[in-house]
Amino acid sequence: MYKKLAWEKYLDDLSPVYDFCEDYKAFISECKTERLVVKEAVQLLVEHGFKDASTVTKLKAGDKLYFVNKNKNIAAYIIGKKPLVEGVRILGAHIDSPRLDFKERPILERDGFVYGNTHYYGGIKKYQWVTIPLAIHGVVCLKDGTTIDVNIGEDEKDPVIGISDLLPHLARQQMQKPAGNIIEGEDLDVSLGSLPLKEGDHKVKGYLLKLLKDKYGFEEEDLISSEIEITPAGKARDYGLDGSMILGYGHDDRSCAYTSLRALLDVQPTEYTSCCVLVDKEEVGSIGATGAQSHFFENSLVKLLELSGSKDTHQDIITLFEHSHMLSSDVSAGFDPIYPSVSDRDNSALLGYGLTFNKYVGAGGKSSSNDANPEYYAWIRKIMDENNVNWQSAEIGKVDAGGGGTIAFILGNYNLDVIDAGIPVHSMHAPMEVVSKVDVYEAYLGYQAFLTK
Ligand code: MN
Ligand code: MN
């Protein structure tokens, strides 16, 4: 099924694709942060009979369970008929997306306005984040141990926030700057309000802090221990007059996270143990306790070995990984006909042509790339073809044009077979990204075929 328009399969009946994508649109519209994804994932898992791993004392084939790590990282499993040491089928995606984060002391008043000072997260073109409606999602953690959820700007009755840009009339100097400096990182200050208190030194800031205190119950100082993420406001929408695509925030990588999770939820009991792991922090290097480099994932597998009566988890985890297969479910750079010069078209992912395998990504001579083993790739091709999945091979852009990274190489370090497999995206890392609905659906089918093999 090499490079064939995936729509051809559905032209008599688009409903399987369009119906699935209604669920996906609702998911990305609701789940704009790692925490919100994990919360929703837990709800879906529980609805599908998965149990919190901490409540499980013994394992048998067909058991379903999940581990949550610090509310931002999750691993879910369906225990297969074969012993764990014979290997696990793993789908791994990341659930963080580029955005603006509040600084620790974000609130400042200037000339009648109160602003939220931010530090951007991940690789963004800063000029894309001004003059668009933005929303606030996150948590504020208090010293007494309580956590306050904050969510402003998604409900139609909510106000939105935003960042201003210069009027063209006065932008003569600004427009001479290189695009990376048109908007400076330190100028990504979000406008939060302009009403003053009746009295006080900083009346406008005072008004906003009072409003936050009254509505949410936290003080300015509490923002030091907060995780406030500024994202584009509003729901994902059908894109194109035929509704064949989806415009939305965070397709990278929630399109692959959702399809991976759904593949696990919907799969019939399998020979091998199936896994979907969703990680945080990919956009900043997969570091820390909740990123792909964390020991959390490995530890969850050690737990599974213990629960299934392993006498030597140290040896068994090594054997388990050696026999495991993984799809690193991450988006690929969709070939954009408006910008053909940066891509080698034959070796690019085309929107509408299905699940995309990136044998390698990386930049500057495959640097830092997982280069999938051809023996494994051949095995994958067979699964996809036998299951009538539309798939395509691709790399990210022309040699020396740039490049990208995923979590594939990190999991590869465990000595398991892994290849990048995901959905092609236009305008990646922009506030609003674009995917083709049929690629979302083919990814779901491909991930499920992989788990079933
Ligand atoms: Mn990604
Ligand atoms: Mn990315």
Side-chain angles (χ1 to χ4, degrees), residues 9-169:
K9 286 204 287 189
Y10 303 103
L11 290 179
D12 289 334
D13 181 13
L14 293 169
S15 63
V17 176
Y18 278 48
D19 290 352
F20 184 89
C21 285
E22 284 304 305
D23 293 343
Y24 170 58
K25 279 192 300 181
F27 174 84
I28 47 164
S29 300
E30 288 290 318
C31 302
K32 293 192 178 177
T33 68
E34 312 79 357
R35 284 170 190 270
L36 292 169
V37 172
V38 167
K39 209 169 171 182
E40 177 69 14
V42 167
Q43 196 173 325
L44 289 169
L45 287 161
V46 169
E47 282 170 20
H48 286 76
F50 286 72
K51 294 199 174 90
D52 184 330
S54 63
T55 67
V56 176
T57 51
K58 209 168 185 299
L59 282 184
K60 57 174 188 325
D63 281 354
K64 302 172 172 186
L65 70 172
Y66 64 88
F67 299 81
V68 172
N69 181 23
K70 297 176 175 56
N71 301 316
K72 296 191 283 188
N73 180 198
I74 186 167
Y77 295 93
I78 302 177
I79 305 303
K81 296 184 190 108
K82 291 187 184 290
L84 283 160
V85 286
E86 290 193 29
V88 176
R89 302 284 180 269
I90 305 158
L91 296 169
H94 69 90
I95 51 176
D96 59 317
S97 296
R99 59 179 190 249
L100 311 175
D101 286 344
F102 261 12
K103 293 192 182 195
E104 285 158 288
R105 297 185 61 188
I107 310 295
L108 50 102
E109 176 176 335
R110 285 201 310 250
D111 305 305
F113 292 96
V114 60
Y115 289 99
N117 201 348
T118 68
H119 193 138
Y120 60 92
Y121 173 96
I124 63 166
K125 289 174 159 180
K126 286 165 282 190
Y127 65 79
Q128 292 177 333
W129 289 75
V130 298
T131 70
I132 59 169
L134 299 172
I136 296 182
H137 298 274
V139 293
V140 181
C141 299
L142 307 187
K143 284 194 285 187
D144 68 7
T146 50
T147 295
I148 297 166
D149 287 308
V150 181
N151 177 344
I152 310 167
E154 299 294 351
D155 191 291
E156 264 171 39
K157 282 174 239 131
D158 278 356
V160 292
I161 53 176
I163 302 165
S164 58
D165 192 6
L166 263 181
L167 60 170
H169 319 63

Side-chain angles (χ1 to χ4, degrees), residues 94 252-253 282-283 330-331:
H94 69 90
D252 176 9
D253 183 34
E282 192 275 345
E283 296 295 357
D330 204 349
V331 297

